[in-house]
Amino acid sequence: MSAVQDYLKSNKERQLSELLDFLRIPSVSADPKFAKDVRRTAEFVKKSLLDAGAGKAEIHDTPGHPIVYAEKIIDPKKPTVLVYGHYDVQPPDPLELWDSPPFEPVVKKTPLHPAGAIFARGSCDDKGQVYMHVKAFEAMVATDSLPCNVKFLIEGEEEVGSKNLENFCRANQAKLACDVILISDTSIIANNVPSLTVGLRGLSYLEVEVIGPNRDLHSGVYGGAVGNPASILCEMIASMKDKKGRITIPGFYDDVVKLKPSERKELNKAPFKLNAYMKDLGIKETKGEEGYTVIEQTSIRPTFEVNGMWGGYIGEGAKTVLPSKAYAKVSMRLVPNQKSEKITKLFTKHFEKIAPKSVKVKVTPHHGGEAAVTPTDTAEYLAAMQAMKTTFKKNPIPVRGGGSIPIVALFEKVLKVKTVMMGFGLDSDNIHSPNEHYGLFNYYKGIETIPYFFEYYSAMKK
Ligand code: BES
Ligand code: MN
Ligand code: MN
């Protein structure tokens, strides 16, 4: 092991400069304008895996963005770890809120990252975390210390719902056969409080349209008599939650698993300071479902959120108009046992039902995915725990994450393989938002920790 760690120490500058090159390619999957850049990024990933020592690396075209697959098989009798990650990123908008351009990475210090952090879209989610695996793999190969087989599945559509990955997995079961899936696309509690993610929420995402009069109207001539779709949309959305913060869609909670008091107690043992949380966000009060702590509200309870809303005049100055249409993008985070498709149907039915006669509504489902929980009594969990303990000098705390990686549930369904989620970001790294960054400490700590996971896992599987 010391050979790997020595190798890592003497290659730090290159590990960083290569990541910065990776971050310079704008791999925005949501916007077709970036399709060529997304492809260039896939090629970058393929080349970096080959350079690191993969025996084979391929780009698989899909109806959407390409999937990169690579492997190094040292002995078919040894266990196989499949590393999953995504090279696509969220759109960087709104651009004017970035302190430096999103695809021109810079390293700057922050209070939580005194050693410096890389500011760029994708630095934490997930290019920086994917590249930790590439560099850890390179070190293990270069020092002849790779203890098992490795496969890489790095996709380009995670941020848009992994639309083509399920088909790819179904069509390539033999190629993807493995003993465990390792993902670094989540966070730790703090740089001195390591944690492992043992659960993720599911998602149901929809777009709604409220249609009123057949054209935009003068708000003075018609206002007062004609239902305003923007106001009606607001009322409809406001009615989706009651005073206690509970979602009012009939049947919404039917399948939610209630945790035992002992399990809730365990969850709330994770360090959490409400005042620091509110201060960081610039809010005076949190506003969640009554009867649950912030930790619970953001992990084991389902939610309803408006992601965006528009309609009528939103340009400069004022325009007196009663708009013909209003829109919103809404999403619900789901917990284990809730089914995304069922929730989408329940929402649609309810939304159509609560619409007043003065408007028509149209509901269009986007993507969705199921929640996941990962067991903590497996070789992979123990190996990840030991690996983090080795490098952080502290046992990691198991936490249920609030975000979603729908492919985790799919891997279990299609490949019948469990996942271990060993991410290294911080929740405050601004993923999906302006000034996304990733700590140098976190990047290097990840590269240092991953080889230990491989070593411990392979030893346990012997
Ligand atoms: N890496 C995130 C998910 C995440 C972040 C999990 C932090 C736990 C902690 C992932 O890239 C992501 O953003 N997923 C989307 C879901 C997808 C279907 C668009 C999400 O959670 O919104
Ligand atoms: Mn991610
Ligand atoms: Mn993301």
Side-chain angles (χ1 to χ4, degrees):
M1 205 23 66
S2 75
V4 175
Q5 299 301 338
D6 288 347
Y7 178 92
L8 291 178
K9 274 195 199 103
S10 48
N11 284 278
K12 284 194 150 183
E13 256 164 61
R14 187 174 50 82
Q15 288 157 5
L16 178 59
S17 69
E18 289 176 10
L19 170 58
L20 300 189
D21 289 339
F22 187 24
L23 294 171
R24 282 189 189 101
I25 322 175
S27 49
V28 180
S29 50
D31 186 345
K33 191 167 89 220
F34 292 94
K36 279 216 175 83
D37 296 304
V38 175
R39 200 188 166 85
R40 266 204 300 138
T41 317
E43 274 150 17
F44 184 103
V45 174
K46 175 185 167 186
K47 181 169 187 307
S48 62
L49 284 163
L50 283 173
D51 290 347
K56 163 165 129 184
E58 310 161 339
I59 291 187
H60 290 265
D61 286 312
T62 76
H65 299 302
I67 294 167
V68 182
Y69 172 80
E71 63 179 35
K72 184 165 181 77
I73 307 297
I74 56 166
D75 178 353
K77 288 193 288 295
K78 292 201 162 150
T80 301
V81 175
L82 186 144
V83 173
Y84 163 84
H86 62 95
Y87 67 81
D88 65 319
V89 302
Q90 286 275 326
D93 314 69
L95 284 173
E96 65 278 12
L97 296 184
W98 284 76
D99 296 330
S100 55
F103 299 107
E104 294 172 27
V106 288
V107 174
K108 281 188 296 188
K109 293 185 171 138
T110 77
L112 286 178
H113 295 294
I118 310 155
F119 281 77
R121 172 56 88 231
S123 55
C124 175
D125 184 13
D126 182 33
K127 284 158 118 179
Q129 301 209 58
V130 162
Y131 215 66
M132 299 180 320
H133 284 276
V134 181
K135 294 298 100 176
F137 171 64
E138 173 196 300
M140 289 187 282
V141 174
T143 56
D144 215 7
S145 39
L146 186 68
C148 62
N149 306 309
V150 197
K151 295 179 175 178
F152 290 92
L153 179 64
I154 313 296
E155 69 152 319
E157 295 189 299
E158 196 275 344
E159 298 292 10
V160 287
S162 303
K163 290 184 207 91
N164 295 295
L165 198 57
E166 179 168 358
N167 278 344
F168 182 81
C169 290
R170 288 193 191 281
N172 292 280
Q173 304 221 13
K175 188 194 275 287
L176 302 176
C178 59
D179 297 281
V180 66
I181 293 156
L182 175 61
I183 305 182
S184 297
D185 192 21
T186 51
S187 39
I188 50 175
I189 295 174
N191 283 356
N192 59 355
V193 189
S195 56
L196 280 162
T197 301
V198 296
L200 293 166
R201 288 195 280 195
L203 186 72
S204 170
Y205 200 116
L206 306 100
E207 193 161 324
V208 299
E209 192 176 334
V210 174
I211 308 144
N214 60 11
R215 58 189 188 277
D216 278 9
L217 304 173
H218 188 289
S219 68
V221 177
Y222 291 95
V226 177
N228 182 320
S231 315
I232 290 168
L233 176 58
C234 288
E235 282 167 32
M236 290 172 75
I237 293 223
S239 79
M240 302 300 293
K241 276 191 213 165
D242 68 15
K243 285 219 159 55
K244 293 184 167 164
R246 280 180 68 90
I247 294 149
T248 55
I249 302 168
F252 184 83
Y253 290 97
D254 282 2
D255 301 322
V256 172
V257 194
K258 272 225 162 126
L259 266 71
K260 293 193 210 98
S262 60
E263 292 174 301
R264 290 180 64 182
K265 208 170 148 197
E266 201 53 42
L267 271 182
N268 285 295
K269 276 189 187 157
F272 178 77
K273 291 194 192 84
L274 183 58
N275 280 329
Y277 183 82
M278 294 191 297
K279 192 170 167 225
D280 174 49
L281 300 176
I283 54 173
K284 288 211 175 81
E285 184 177 78
T286 60
K287 199 175 183 308
E289 186 185 359
E290 238 177 72
Y292 294 93
T293 64
V294 170
I295 288 185
E296 293 169 339
Q297 288 163 351
T298 55
S299 65
I300 56 158
R301 295 300 293 167
T303 65
F304 172 85
E305 297 297 340
V306 179
N307 303 100
M309 236 174 135
W310 68 103
Y313 184 67
I314 48 170
E316 289 289 316
K319 179 188 181 192
T320 46
V321 62
L322 193 163
S324 160
K325 290 176 181 173
Y327 308 80
K329 291 183 195 277
V330 301
S331 63
M332 289 155 284
R333 293 281 166 180
L334 311 177
V335 296
N337 206 41
Q338 279 185 303
K339 292 275 168 295
S340 170
E341 242 177 74
K342 178 173 171 190
I343 295 295
T344 297
K345 281 200 190 113
L346 288 179
F347 171 88
T348 305
K349 200 170 141 206
H350 180 64
F351 199 76
E352 284 168 354
K353 185 163 162 256
I354 62 172
K357 268 219 183 86
S358 56
V359 295
K360 289 194 288 272
V361 298
K362 203 173 134 195
V363 181
T364 314
H366 275 281
H367 51 65
E370 311 305 346
V373 262
T374 62
T376 53
D377 57 356
T378 55
E380 58 267 22
Y381 188 80
L382 276 174
M385 218 170 104
Q386 287 299 331
M388 277 192 145
K389 190 177 176 185
T390 304
T391 56
F392 284 88
K393 315 274 183 266
K394 264 186 200 170
N395 262 323
I397 298 171
V399 297
R400 297 268 296 258
S404 310
I405 310 178
I407 200 65
V408 173
L410 269 175
F411 281 146
E412 197 170 337
K413 195 169 96 189
V414 178
L415 303 178
K416 312 268 183 295
V417 181
K418 299 258 191 244
T419 294
V420 57
M421 288 179 276
M422 188 170 73
F424 293 87
L426 294 185
D427 281 345
S428 52
D429 283 346
N430 289 345
I431 66 171
H432 293 205
S433 104
N435 301 316
E436 174 177 354
H437 54 279
Y438 192 40
L440 291 178
F441 169 88
N442 307 68
Y443 180 55
Y444 290 125
K445 192 56 91 184
I447 301 178
E448 184 192 343
T449 308
I450 291 162
Y452 286 109
F453 171 84
F454 277 83
E455 185 188 77
Y456 300 152
Y457 179 72
S458 306
M460 283 179 207
K461 280 296 219 186
K462 250 187 205 145

